[in-house]
Amino acid sequence: MGVTVSMLASGSRGNCAFVASARTRILVDAGISCRETCKRMKSLGEDPQSLSAILITHEHSDHVYGLATLAKKLRIPVFMTGATHAAWARAMRTVNGERPQLDKLERFEAGYRFQVGDIEVKPFTIPHDAADPVGFTFRVEGAKVSVATDLGYLPANVRDHLRGSDILILESNHDVEMLRGGSYPWAVKQRVASNVGHLSNEKLADFFASDYDNSAVFVVLAHLSEQNNHPEIARREAEKALGHRGSLFQNQLLVAVQSEVLPPIRL
Ligand SMILES: [Zn+2]
Ligand SMILES: [Zn+2]
């Protein structure tokens, strides 16, 4: 196998993940600026010009902030669903008054596989308050990589998609008590905690303790809230839940953060 995964940025101020085979390199989301994306890729020894495509999970700004500039600069295909594209274009017009142009737009539908180079992509629907949000599973060089962030809970269909993952990237957004006692306005707290909001440490721990198949060599906790979580709290909750299931060789636990690149995972 020869898969590389790195989280260039993860959290409510911008998300971008890098998934690569020996010959295909993709970004999942483009939520940090074009300049920062290129800088972080270079810090991994990767040339941004070598990217094959950008895949978008949904239109929230922490997933598309750098998209227009990055797509223009790199002139590579951008994959998103039709509804996500429409919502993104609408938001761009409202904010900038400009009609956004993607030279190479490729539309996909949740539930239908497609291929980017030698990486097979399967998008699946997730419960989140966006137009048509998706998670992804990737088949790369014989390994399965799954990405599911920005989801209020883990419904059965999502759990099914995650089975058999070698690298599992899952949201561990907030600590329920920190969110409850924190400074967010009531309506925002309600939104985050809802079934179409973000996955709490507790809900993720429930999954690990009850329904997780223990398949992953690496588990990455992602999209942590800087206000309502702490990397050590997220890690402790996940470790506790995985504790009785993990072995020495499985479930190496990593925590992705906003400000730094997560050193690459290689399988
Ligand atoms: Zn979102
Ligand atoms: Zn997000």
Side-chain angles (χ1 to χ4, degrees), residues 58 60-63 128-130 150 191 197-198 223:
H58 65 296
H60 288 163
S61 66
D62 58 319
H63 299 260
H128 189 54
D129 55 358
D150 297 73
R191 190 220 141 214
H198 290 278
H223 213 302

Side-chain angles (χ1 to χ4, degrees), residues 5-260:
V5 172
S6 177
M7 309 297 283
L8 299 185
S10 187
S12 48
R13 287 189 290 113
N15 295 276
C16 186
F18 174 73
V19 178
S21 70
R23 66 180 179 90
T24 307
R25 300 168 144 62
I26 58 180
L27 288 184
V28 180
D29 288 328
I32 51 176
S33 72
C34 175
R35 176 199 293 244
E36 194 62 25
T37 305
C38 293
K39 197 174 114 188
R40 292 186 184 205
M41 276 199 70
K42 284 175 190 157
S43 79
L44 293 174
E46 297 285 347
D47 178 6
Q49 298 290 345
S50 72
L51 281 167
S52 318
I54 304 169
L55 275 58
I56 299 296
T57 59
H58 65 296
E59 75 279 12
H60 288 163
S61 66
D62 58 319
H63 299 260
V64 296
Y65 177 77
L67 177 62
T69 317
L70 200 60
K72 202 169 176 179
K73 181 183 160 96
L74 300 177
R75 296 205 192 98
I76 53 174
V78 175
F79 290 77
M80 53 177 130
T81 74
T84 296
H85 177 252
W88 172 74
R90 217 168 25 242
M92 289 284 284
R93 273 199 299 276
T94 310
V95 175
N96 305 333
E98 63 182 56
R99 186 176 277 275
Q101 203 65 46
L102 290 176
D103 287 348
K104 297 179 184 171
L105 171 66
E106 300 277 351
R107 291 186 178 85
F108 64 77
E109 267 181 69
Y112 293 90
R113 284 183 174 84
F114 58 93
Q115 201 74 28
V116 181
D118 61 353
I119 299 180
E120 183 192 276
V121 185
K122 178 102 187 258
F124 56 90
T125 297
I126 54 170
H128 189 54
D129 55 358
D132 188 17
V134 296
F136 293 111
T137 62
F138 302 100
R139 296 276 179 183
V140 197
E141 310 253 10
K144 180 174 177 179
V145 180
S146 300
V147 182
T149 69
D150 297 73
L151 67 181
Y153 71 111
L154 287 167
N157 78 302
V158 172
R159 292 169 189 237
D160 285 345
H161 284 288
L162 302 179
R163 276 187 236 291
S165 300
D166 300 289
I167 299 174
L168 191 52
I169 300 163
L170 288 175
E171 175 163 43
S172 192
N173 180 260
H174 58 277
D175 174 90
V176 167
E177 288 306 318
M178 283 177 80
L179 177 68
R180 201 172 288 152
S183 61
Y184 280 10
W186 183 82
V188 179
K189 289 183 187 182
Q190 290 293 109
R191 190 220 141 214
V192 170
S194 79
N195 270 352
V196 288
H198 290 278
L199 200 70
S200 65
N201 299 343
E202 289 83 351
K203 285 183 189 169
L204 181 60
D206 276 352
F207 166 68
F208 283 146
S210 61
D211 200 15
Y212 168 53
D213 64 2
N214 217 28
S215 61
V217 182
F218 291 97
V219 174
V220 181
L221 307 182
H223 213 302
L224 270 69
S225 166
E226 290 180 302
Q227 295 262 343
N228 303 309
N229 208 351
H230 189 282
E232 285 316 309
I233 295 174
R235 175 187 289 281
R236 195 179 61 217
E237 290 299 313
E239 271 173 359
K240 212 160 54 184
L242 286 169
H244 64 285
R245 323 195 79 209
S247 77
L248 213 55
F249 305 105
Q250 269 164 317
N251 301 318
Q252 285 191 57
L253 197 62
L254 304 167
V255 184
V257 294
Q258 190 74 75
S259 55
E260 285 166 35

